[in-house]
Amino acid sequence: MRLRALLDTDALGLRLLGGEHELDRTVRGVMTTDLRDPSRYLSGGELVLTGLAWRRDATDSEPFVRLLVQAGVVALAAGEAELGNVPEDLVIACAHHRLPLFAVHESVAFATITEHVVRQVSGERAGDLAAVVDRHRRMMTSGPAGGGPDVVLDLLGSDLDLRAWVLSPTGRLIAGPKVAGPGLPADTCAKLAAEHLAAVRTGRRGPHRLTLGSSTYSLFPVRSSGRSPQASRDVRETVLSDWLLAVEADAGDWPEERLDLLQGVTQLISVERDRRDAARTVRRRLAQEVLELVQTGAVPAEIAARLRVAAPVLLPGLGAAPHWQVVVATVEWQDGDLEGGPVAQSLLEEILVDPLATGPEPSDRIAVAHTGDEAIALVPLPAVSTEHDGSEAGILADALLESVRDPLSAGLDDDGRVTLGVSASVHSAEGLRGALEEARHARRVAAARPGRVCAAGHQELASHVLLLPFVPDDVRRAFTARLLDPLRDYDRRHRAELIPTLEAFLDCDGSWTRCATRLHLHVNTLRYRVGRIEQLTSRDLSRLEDKLDFFLALRMS
């Protein structure tokens, strides 16, 4: 369809602000965005819709428009709901780059324009698609967010007798039909997500199909509006963040019109996905500001002031500043040529949501920043209770990954790895720097473990066993040989069992009576063996330092 046709459609409420000589351009897609640089999600030929949240001042318009033109965008439509009239600097920038600019009246939802474009550019489709899209458009006219994915899923069920669900890449249920019927079990969601991610990583053409029990599911990717499968430079950039549409049907023998219908539905759902991503911009910015203050050693009062700003955004109605936890994650790829920070950021925003929660909104309470290959989450805890052992409740590292390990492993394939560390909760701004270092150290502990998806929490940092992997191999060998080789040599020659005696003595906390009882020895015999150990090693087992050295040497041997 051409831009002129959009302008002539009264229901869209578009007003031309510039570019009247470019109205014969052809529109091939549509994208809604408030990113400062959305070019990575553009493939050319799109009409871009924006609420102008990316604009902080007049200097932002020129680079934004330049990026759109370089990406091949055919026109820009700016909403008037937030700022009123479209800023003059944006009008000037579009005129300079010969990019047609429309104003969208505040009464018109972006979803309405998106659906109109999707319907028109898709060409002739089955009559049922027109019915679904038309009904969906009418139900979504209440606001930019419309009725959400649930509405179109209900229409698929009522009009086409198709049961469908929207899932996150980790298998969390984001939306499902509200009509009566059995839901989708959590383990089924996880298996569908794992199959989808595995298929995407191996480059298999969709829709991907999986049979579980007596049901066959067809899986369709839900990408950002207007982004084609080839638009991403590398599939690994989005494989752990894209939603999927799971339809309980075998699409293998569907006609082209029905497949085209489902592709159109994924574009409708992508409007909600883009809205969610745009809503996260403020939270990401808050997290980045707090992180920069913490890492540059800002005074606690300045950090506390920023936290007071963040708390109402993340937990509206809380009334008081909560406790905080820090979670650090990295996504590393084998070839090392892909920055893992943005991928880890999207992933943290997903896995920090309660796995039993549904819908997109629970993820709107997480603030995640990224720097380099590392993503850092600032997690508010509205009420920190105390467990029976006296420790404070909050996020537990193992629990974070328990339900998402299989899908993530499929998405990582054989060349990716996720490692994650969780800090203890802190009560004030003074504790955030320590919490950040604690989370980073816990992540390094997780990285020392085998497996594609690993996590460690602050509770584990006190264990020497988890710290030992960070000691270089040559240092460990030299340390254990210096302490234990004299005892091993003596045991081989005399069968004196000095090594088992040393282990039992340390395990009994140096108690002569308990150790002699355990080894079935007379106390004098035990004293003789311990004396021989001290003589051969020039150590004193009454000293804490020497006991600790022997303890670590035995664990590293």
Side-chain angles (χ1 to χ4, degrees):
M1 67 175 302
R2 299 188 183 279
L3 289 175
R4 191 179 306 279
L6 287 175
L7 191 62
D8 293 338
T9 305
D10 294 337
L12 299 183
L14 296 178
R15 180 164 51 90
L16 184 65
L17 300 181
E20 57 271 16
H21 300 300
E22 309 293 335
L23 293 180
D24 287 328
R25 292 183 179 185
T26 299
V27 180
R28 296 186 178 88
V30 62
M31 176 185 180
T32 301
T33 185
D34 276 309
L35 296 174
R36 295 172 66 83
D37 180 9
S39 57
R40 62 184 294 183
Y41 302 117
L42 296 167
S43 57
E46 294 93 352
L47 166 68
V48 169
L49 310 174
T50 179
L52 301 175
W54 50 266
R55 182 184 178 277
R56 298 176 184 173
D57 55 46
T59 62
D60 290 334
S61 293
E62 167 65 24
F64 180 77
V65 172
R66 184 173 65 251
L67 288 169
L68 296 186
V69 172
Q70 290 172 351
V73 168
V74 298
L76 175 66
E80 297 179 321
E82 293 296 326
L83 301 180
N85 293 331
V86 176
E88 185 63 20
D89 49 89
L90 182 59
V91 177
I92 294 173
C94 288
H96 175 73
H97 289 281
R98 299 176 62 85
L99 182 68
L101 174 64
F102 299 97
V104 182
H105 193 270
E106 62 180 1
S107 63
V108 178
F110 282 176
T112 301
I113 301 173
T114 297
E115 292 159 14
H116 180 82
V117 173
V118 168
R119 186 171 64 250
Q120 295 299 320
V121 302
S122 295
E124 293 185 0
R125 292 182 177 177
D128 54 7
L129 172 60
V132 169
V133 174
D134 283 343
R135 287 183 58 189
H136 184 248
R137 177 184 58 78
R138 289 195 297 271
M139 296 180 73
M140 291 183 69
T141 53
S142 58
D150 304 83
V151 175
V152 70
L153 297 184
D154 283 340
L155 291 174
L156 283 176
S158 61
D159 286 21
L160 306 180
D161 198 26
L162 289 176
R163 298 180 70 226
W165 300 264
V166 178
L167 306 178
S168 78
T170 61
R172 185 172 64 86
L173 183 63
I174 291 173
K178 295 179 181 178
V179 295
L184 202 60
D187 61 337
T188 299
C189 292
K191 290 175 182 176
L192 293 176
E195 169 64 20
H196 173 73
L197 293 179
V200 171
R201 284 305 314 274
T202 55
R204 304 203 318 258
R205 291 195 59 178
H208 317 302
R209 288 170 291 164
L210 178 65
T211 299
L212 297 174
S214 59
S215 298
T216 297
Y217 299 88
S218 297
L219 311 176
F220 298 80
V222 176
R223 300 184 174 93
S224 291
S225 298
R227 197 179 92 219
S228 69
Q230 293 78 28
S232 176
R233 294 186 297 272
D234 192 316
V235 67
R236 295 173 298 177
E237 293 180 0
T238 57
V239 68
L240 299 182
S241 59
D242 278 347
W243 289 355
L244 65 138
L245 176 67
V247 181
E248 190 177 11
D250 188 346
D253 56 356
W254 279 6
E256 195 65 31
E257 292 81 2
R258 180 59 62 91
L259 289 173
D260 197 27
L261 159 64
L262 267 295
Q263 295 295 347
V265 169
T266 64
Q267 291 189 48
L268 296 177
I269 295 171
S270 71
V271 174
E272 175 64 29
R273 182 187 183 280
D274 291 340
R275 186 200 66 79
R276 179 206 63 167
D277 287 345
R280 285 179 172 174
T281 302
V282 173
R283 291 182 291 281
R284 287 175 172 177
R285 188 179 304 159
L286 285 172
Q288 194 71 45
E289 291 173 353
V290 173
L291 176 62
E292 289 174 0
L293 290 174
V294 171
Q295 294 192 123
T296 56
V299 295
E302 187 176 0
I303 300 174
R306 180 53 55 187
L307 288 177
R308 284 194 294 271
V309 173
V313 175
L314 300 177
L315 289 171
L318 185 65
H323 295 64
W324 302 89
Q325 272 184 288
V326 176
V327 181
V328 172
T330 64
V331 175
E332 299 170 293
W333 304 104
Q334 198 167 35
D335 53 22
D337 63 350
L338 180 66
E339 184 181 2
V343 181
Q345 182 181 45
S346 297
L347 186 60
L348 265 188
E349 288 172 334
E350 171 57 38
I351 65 176
L352 285 172
V353 180
D354 182 346
L356 298 180
T358 60
E361 294 307 319
S363 60
D364 293 347
R365 300 292 176 260
I366 308 298
V368 186
H370 78 83
T371 169
D373 287 331
E374 179 184 67
I376 302 170
L378 188 65
V379 184
L381 303 176
V384 180
S385 61
T386 302
E387 301 288 0
H388 297 301
D389 60 1
S391 61
E392 289 182 336
I395 294 173
L396 299 178
D398 288 339
L400 276 180
L401 298 181
E402 183 177 354
S403 62
V404 301
R405 195 179 303 275
D406 289 343
L408 286 183
S409 297
L412 294 166
D413 199 19
D414 291 329
D415 63 343
R417 193 159 190 256
V418 170
T419 53
L420 182 147
V422 181
S423 78
S425 64
V426 294
H427 305 250
S428 63
E430 289 88 341
L432 272 183
R433 185 175 182 83
L436 175 58
E437 292 307 314
E438 188 174 56
R440 281 174 167 164
H441 191 63
R443 193 209 63 78
R444 289 192 290 270
V445 169
R449 296 171 170 168
R452 290 280 169 202
V453 183
C454 299
H458 63 94
Q459 304 94 331
E460 303 169 81
L461 296 185
S463 173
H464 63 281
V465 176
L466 292 173
L467 299 180
L468 292 181
F470 298 104
V471 180
D473 289 342
D474 54 347
V475 175
R476 279 193 286 173
R477 284 192 294 268
F479 180 73
T480 57
R482 184 169 64 252
L483 278 177
L484 301 183
D485 280 2
L487 306 182
R488 292 181 178 129
D489 291 342
Y490 191 87
D491 280 347
R492 278 195 299 270
R493 294 197 307 269
H494 303 283
R495 296 182 180 179
E497 296 188 348
L498 296 184
I499 292 290
T501 300
L502 175 62
E503 290 177 328
F505 185 74
L506 294 174
D507 196 42
C508 292
D509 297 325
S511 169
W512 297 99
T513 303
R514 281 193 289 127
C515 184
T517 301
R518 175 181 294 190
L519 295 175
H520 306 290
L521 297 174
H522 192 278
V523 172
N524 288 342
T525 303
L526 176 61
R527 290 185 184 277
Y528 172 79
R529 289 187 182 180
V530 170
R532 180 61 67 186
I533 292 170
E534 292 175 335
Q535 181 184 21
L536 291 170
T537 60
S538 301
R539 296 296 183 112
D540 182 356
L541 277 168
S542 66
R543 286 167 42 87
L544 176 61
E545 294 87 346
D546 289 341
K547 285 181 182 178
L548 181 59
D549 282 350
F550 278 122
F551 181 78
L552 293 175
L554 289 168
R555 292 301 183 273
M556 287 190 289
S557 63

